[in-house]
Amino acid sequence: FLPHLIASLEQVDQTYIMVKPDGVQRGLVGEIISRFEKKGFKLTGLKLFQCSKELAEEHYKDLKQKSFFPKLIDYITSGPVVCMAWEGVGVVASARKLIGATDPLQAEPGTIRGDLAVQTGRNVVHGSDSPENGKREIALWFKEGEVCEWTPVQAPWLRE
Ligand code: UDP
Ligand code: MG
């Protein structure tokens, strides 16, 4: 009874993961999805999407003052992206670890960027940096009804 109570108090978070246009063009969509799937997180939203300049600017609004901002917006809008919502305990920080450092040359081998990319401006994937931003970004990229609530059959085999 007590362990179940404690487990149920654990915070379940959501993170917004996006395969950027270079990842789509290079045929890395399956590989990137697979890393999160194998880790054991729950996919709750998935779509291929061509985003507008306005949406890209809203998503990256905290970086508006940075010199690379215009190039970043051009990059993110240069082709379709794959939008994903993932759910789980600790999913935000864990996804950032799976993704690796912003600069792919600094990212550890074994991470997505460490294994699959070489340049910061072509670093193949985005991941939210906090549970608050996870919620904000999922609400920004997905419409009502596009995120699914479901229970994977493997749930009891992933968490005691
Ligand atoms: N970026 C860039 N040049 C920089 C820093 C960042 O082009 O000097 C791009 C890069 O694509 C990065 C994105 O802007 O992924 C967002 O930057 P942030 O610092 O939030 O890195 P992230 O959270 O993606 O690791
Ligand atoms: Mg960031």
Side-chain angles (χ1 to χ4, degrees):
F1 170 71
L2 200 57
H4 282 89
L5 191 66
I6 291 166
S8 71
L9 291 174
E10 275 181 313
Q11 172 86 24
V12 176
D13 290 317
Q14 275 87 34
T15 193
Y16 176 67
I17 303 295
M18 177 166 73
V19 182
K20 294 177 177 180
D22 51 333
V24 176
Q25 292 286 353
R26 292 176 54 207
L28 300 174
V29 172
E31 164 88 31
I32 292 172
I33 293 176
S34 182
R35 302 230 175 172
F36 298 98
E37 214 176 23
K38 285 179 193 159
K39 174 71 178 171
F41 292 120
K42 180 169 82 174
L43 181 66
T44 59
L46 176 67
K47 66 178 177 186
L48 184 74
F49 185 68
Q50 172 64 59
C51 88
S52 66
K53 193 165 184 276
E54 290 67 34
L55 180 59
E57 287 176 350
E58 178 61 24
H59 174 76
Y60 281 123
K61 65 179 179 188
D62 292 349
L63 301 173
K64 202 148 200 159
Q65 305 311 319
K66 303 282 185 186
S67 58
F68 59 82
F69 187 77
K71 268 174 68 176
L72 173 59
I73 300 306
D74 284 349
Y75 164 43
I76 295 302
T77 57
S78 65
V81 295
V82 172
C83 310
M84 289 178 268
W86 289 89
E87 184 180 287
V89 174
V91 69
V92 175
S94 178
R96 297 275 296 185
K97 279 192 190 161
L98 292 175
I99 288 170
T102 305
D103 176 355
L105 290 184
Q106 303 302 321
E108 294 294 329
T111 66
I112 296 169
R113 287 168 174 166
D115 288 348
L116 305 175
V118 290
Q119 203 187 10
T120 303
R122 295 286 185 273
N123 60 5
V124 301
V125 64
H126 165 82
S128 308
D129 61 8
S130 68
E132 296 68 37
N133 275 333
K135 284 204 187 71
R136 176 183 83 86
E137 293 168 7
I138 290 167
L140 188 64
W141 289 86
F142 287 97
K143 286 187 268 194
E144 188 89 29
E146 285 185 335
V147 175
C148 295
E149 198 39 68
W150 63 294
T151 305
V153 291
Q154 59 173 334
W157 301 102
L158 281 159
R159 298 184 60 80
E160 53 181 0

